[in-house]
């Protein structure tokens, strides 16, 4: 039986949450997530879901300035209830009190109780904080520090003495270290860094070998709502637009017990990357420019070094890349040899239009990818449709439209290398207690 020592030390520093609003009650976020998704699939990131809801809990959504994507990201309201909310605001104007939720059609007491910890009604003019950015960061009360140590007590084969030169053995200790700090205020700023050393990896400071202590470092600085710059990030970040055909590295909860709202992806746009998964993110700079009230232009540039398998081509007398690795482990000599073997550069942009009533959202995405080396797959049947070369261009169109009790969504995309994909779906509220969804996918 495997025995593991697990030590986790967390520091939270948060102020009393809006004591002047007695409708907000404290909740157990872990239990709340379990109630939302009682059966979680393997691709559910409980840690990221917890952090997302914690951010909304400490910095509630202002219902007078919110949009559809923000409400969808809570996974509490159905599409019919979101429609009713915006129809009510369009007919009667901004909310004067949180208690006004009780008169919105399709809202019931159970749903309102779930919403209350994450929302508020506040005048827009009261949200502006005129303190300098550095002072706002240093005095922010919403700080999060997580320190974690982990070790398996039994000696694994990878740590046992090497029998011969062909045996692959781990070069580092069985200890796993993890640290993450984040200081954030929703719709204002976010600063954070993450450090991790996996079990079996070395903890060395050898700049000549490109070893700088821990194996993985990640960090970001984000500033929001600075004039025409709606969102700006430098460091590590994710992008999610459309239905994740081209840009879908953002937060998805997967298909668990909740089979309706999780089918459609939300346009969460640019957001910081805080995970320790060492692939599927961007490293560089990204910004969202607000052209006008209805049109925005997110753009990004990224340069990220990736792990890759290298092999020699005797006919052409050169080294080529046969595959890109995504495990993130650098424990053995072979794994270290594959570390950062290839550089991937991405630049692109997304033009997105959202109607004034939040019913229609359409956009197009362009992204250009360049690798520092040619990728040439091994001659296997399962590789015959994989990308080869060192450059690729992808272009896609996506849209989302809500009409009465129906939400239609979809995306189509094509690459220069010949790939094509399409996703189309609909979510329908048949009755007050019955919802249905349909999704059609075609991935070449």
């Amino acid at each position: 039986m495997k025995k593991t020592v697990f030590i986790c030390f967390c520091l939270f520093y948060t102020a009393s949450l809006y004591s002047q609003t007695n409708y907000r009650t404290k909740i157990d976020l872990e239990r709340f997530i379990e109630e939302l998704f009682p059966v979680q699939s393997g691709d559910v990131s409980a840690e990221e879901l917890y952090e997302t809801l914690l951010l909304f809990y400490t910095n509630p959504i202002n219902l007078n300035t919110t949009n559809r994507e923000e409400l969808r990201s809570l996974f509490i309201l159905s599409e019919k209830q979101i429609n009713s909310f915006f129809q009510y605001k369009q007919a009667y104007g901004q909310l004067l009190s949180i208690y006004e939720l009780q008169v919105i059609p399709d809202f019931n007491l159970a749903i309102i109780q779930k919403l209350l910890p994450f929302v508020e009604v506040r005048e827009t003019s009261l949200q502006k904080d005129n303190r300098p950015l550095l002072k706002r960061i240093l005095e922010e009360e919403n700080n999060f520090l997580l320190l974690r140590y982990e070790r398996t007590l039994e000696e694994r084969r990878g740590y046992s003495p090497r029998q011969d030169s062909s045996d692959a053995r781990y070069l580092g200790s069985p200890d796993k270290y993890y640290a993450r700090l984040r200081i954030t205020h929703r719709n204002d700023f976010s600063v954070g860094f993450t450090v991790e050393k996996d079990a079996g990896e070395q903890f060395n400071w050898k700049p000549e070998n490109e070893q700088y202590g821990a194996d993985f470092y990640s960090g970001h600085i984000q500033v929001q709502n600075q004039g025409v710059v709606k969102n700006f990030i430098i460091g590590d970040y994710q992008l999610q637009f459309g239905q994740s055909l081209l840009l879908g590295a953002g937060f998805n909860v997967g298909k668990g017990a909740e089979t309706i709202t999780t089918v459609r992806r939300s346009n969460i746009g640019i957001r910081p990357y805080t995970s320790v998964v060492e692939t599927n993110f961007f490293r560089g700079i990204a910004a969202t420019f607000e052209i006008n009230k209805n049109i925005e232009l997110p753009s990004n540039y990224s340069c990220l070094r990736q792990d890759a398998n290298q092999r020699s081509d005797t006919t052409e007398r050169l080294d080529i890349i046969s595959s890109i690795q995504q495990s993130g482990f650098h424990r053995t000599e072979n794994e270290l040899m594959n570390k950062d073997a290839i550089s991937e550069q991405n630049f692109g942009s997304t033009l997105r239009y959202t109607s004034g009533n939040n019913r229609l959202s359409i956009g197009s995405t362009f992204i250009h990818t360049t690798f520092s080396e040619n990728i040439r797959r091994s001659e296997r049947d399962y590789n015959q449709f994989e990308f080869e070369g060192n450059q690729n261009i992808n272009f896609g169109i996506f849209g989302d439209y809500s009409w009465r009790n129906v939400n239609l969504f979809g995306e189509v995309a094509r690459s220069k290398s010949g790939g094509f994909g399409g996703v189309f779906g609909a979510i329908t509220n048949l009755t007050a207690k019955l919802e249905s969804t349909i999704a059609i996918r075609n991935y070449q």
Side-chain angles (χ1 to χ4, degrees):
M1 180 178 179
K2 185 173 75 172
K3 300 177 181 178
T4 301
V5 174
F6 176 79
I7 300 175
C8 183
F9 178 57
C10 301
L11 291 177
F12 294 92
Y13 177 61
T14 56
S16 300
L17 298 176
Y18 303 92
S19 58
Q20 72 274 19
T21 52
N22 55 15
Y23 64 84
R24 297 194 67 220
T25 58
K26 292 184 178 180
I27 64 170
D28 186 334
L29 282 180
E30 292 184 9
R31 179 176 296 179
F32 184 83
I33 293 172
E34 290 174 357
E35 292 175 353
L36 280 180
F37 304 101
V39 180
Q40 297 183 0
S41 61
D43 58 351
V44 174
S45 175
E47 181 179 327
E48 189 164 0
L49 179 56
Y50 181 91
E51 185 174 341
T52 299
L53 292 180
L54 178 64
L55 184 59
F56 286 132
Y57 184 58
T58 53
N59 298 278
I61 294 173
N62 183 5
L63 292 176
N64 281 330
T65 59
T66 190
N67 54 49
R68 286 182 180 272
E69 300 302 335
E70 203 168 44
L71 293 179
R72 286 170 178 169
S73 63
L74 291 174
F75 296 99
I76 295 175
L77 297 177
S78 68
E79 199 63 31
K80 184 179 181 181
Q81 290 165 335
I82 294 176
N83 285 339
S84 296
F85 174 78
F86 285 105
Q87 288 171 2
Y88 180 86
K89 283 185 62 179
Q90 188 175 10
Y92 300 102
Q94 293 192 348
L95 276 63
L96 300 178
S97 168
I98 194 70
Y99 302 105
E100 206 170 340
L101 291 175
Q102 299 174 88
V103 300
I104 298 178
D106 303 311
F107 275 58
N108 55 48
L109 187 59
I111 288 296
I112 294 174
Q113 289 294 336
K114 288 183 178 180
L115 272 180
L116 288 182
F118 308 104
V119 300
E120 66 176 358
V121 173
R122 184 190 298 180
E123 292 182 14
T124 306
S125 59
L126 296 179
Q127 286 190 317
K128 188 68 175 177
D129 191 339
N130 294 318
R131 292 178 300 165
L133 176 62
L134 181 59
K135 188 172 184 180
R136 297 201 304 271
I137 294 174
L138 295 177
E139 297 180 358
E140 174 57 43
E141 297 172 332
N142 181 26
N143 299 331
F144 177 90
L145 174 63
L146 174 64
L147 304 175
R148 181 185 297 163
Y149 170 80
E150 200 173 326
R151 176 166 179 159
T152 300
L153 296 181
E154 288 88 354
E155 183 183 79
R156 295 181 177 177
R157 184 173 180 272
Y159 303 102
S160 62
R162 177 180 292 186
Q163 301 298 322
D164 54 62
S165 59
S166 63
D167 277 352
R169 288 296 184 263
Y170 300 151
L171 301 176
S173 70
D175 304 302
K176 179 177 180 178
Y177 305 106
Y178 170 68
R180 182 154 63 96
L181 170 68
R182 190 172 182 186
I183 306 171
T184 181
H185 192 94
R186 197 176 61 83
N187 292 329
D188 191 0
F189 64 84
S190 176
V191 178
F193 74 86
T194 302
V195 180
E196 186 203 39
K197 171 201 166 304
D198 287 308
E201 295 177 339
Q202 294 176 307
F203 193 95
N204 286 333
W205 185 268
K206 294 182 178 179
E208 65 275 10
N209 296 334
E210 296 187 356
Q211 292 181 310
Y212 305 95
D215 180 73
F216 178 70
Y217 292 92
S218 176
H220 72 271
I221 299 175
Q222 178 189 36
V223 180
Q224 296 175 276
N225 298 316
Q226 300 295 312
V228 296
V229 181
K230 189 176 180 181
N231 192 0
F232 175 84
I233 291 182
I234 184 169
D236 295 347
Y237 59 91
Q238 299 170 310
L239 300 174
Q240 183 166 312
F241 295 98
Q243 297 304 308
S244 301
L245 282 183
L246 297 183
L247 298 174
F251 167 62
N252 295 322
V253 298
K255 300 181 290 295
E258 174 52 62
T259 58
I260 302 296
T261 59
T262 56
V263 172
R264 178 199 55 227
R265 302 306 189 208
S266 297
N267 288 285
I268 59 176
I270 305 171
R271 62 179 295 172
Y273 183 75
T274 58
S275 175
V276 293
V277 179
E278 299 180 28
T279 57
N280 296 323
F281 67 94
F282 296 97
R283 175 168 290 173
I285 188 170
T288 298
F289 301 96
E290 192 173 48
I291 307 301
N292 57 42
K293 187 177 180 181
N294 303 107
I295 301 176
E296 62 182 25
L297 182 68
S299 302
N300 74 291
Y301 171 79
S302 168
C303 184
L304 179 66
R305 297 177 68 179
Q306 301 264 42
D307 297 351
N309 282 337
Q310 304 178 72
R311 61 184 176 88
S312 298
D313 190 322
T314 55
T315 59
E316 299 184 17
R317 297 182 180 180
L318 49 79
D319 292 333
I320 60 176
I321 301 297
S322 59
S323 64
I324 296 178
Q325 298 294 302
Q326 296 188 338
S327 69
F329 291 126
H330 307 111
R331 303 162 298 184
T332 65
E333 293 178 356
N334 286 337
E335 290 176 347
L336 281 173
M337 187 180 303
N338 294 332
K339 182 179 179 181
D340 297 338
I342 189 172
S343 176
E344 177 185 346
Q345 294 188 66
N346 287 279
F347 71 86
S349 188
T350 299
L351 183 65
R352 185 183 173 206
Y353 167 82
T354 304
S355 63
N357 57 11
N358 279 286
R359 286 184 173 273
L360 173 66
S361 175
I362 56 175
S364 62
T365 296
F366 164 85
I367 185 165
H368 183 278
T369 304
T370 304
F371 295 99
S372 59
E373 306 287 343
N374 280 317
I375 298 177
R376 186 178 301 173
R377 312 285 180 175
S378 57
E379 296 181 358
R380 307 285 185 182
D381 289 342
Y382 55 79
N383 281 334
Q384 61 179 319
F385 300 112
E386 291 288 341
F387 166 76
E388 291 189 347
N390 69 339
Q391 290 191 44
N392 201 10
I393 297 174
N394 292 276
F395 178 78
I397 300 174
F398 60 89
D400 186 296
Y401 179 69
S402 296
W403 178 73
R404 295 187 178 179
N405 297 334
V406 180
N407 174 244
L408 304 173
F409 57 89
E411 181 180 14
V412 292
R414 186 168 182 83
S415 67
K416 178 184 176 183
S417 59
F420 175 82
V423 178
F424 304 93
I427 298 177
T428 308
N429 290 85
L430 301 177
T431 70
K433 297 184 178 181
L434 181 62
E435 291 179 281
S436 70
T437 184
I438 182 172
I440 302 172
R441 301 185 177 98
N442 179 17
Y443 299 151
Q444 290 188 354

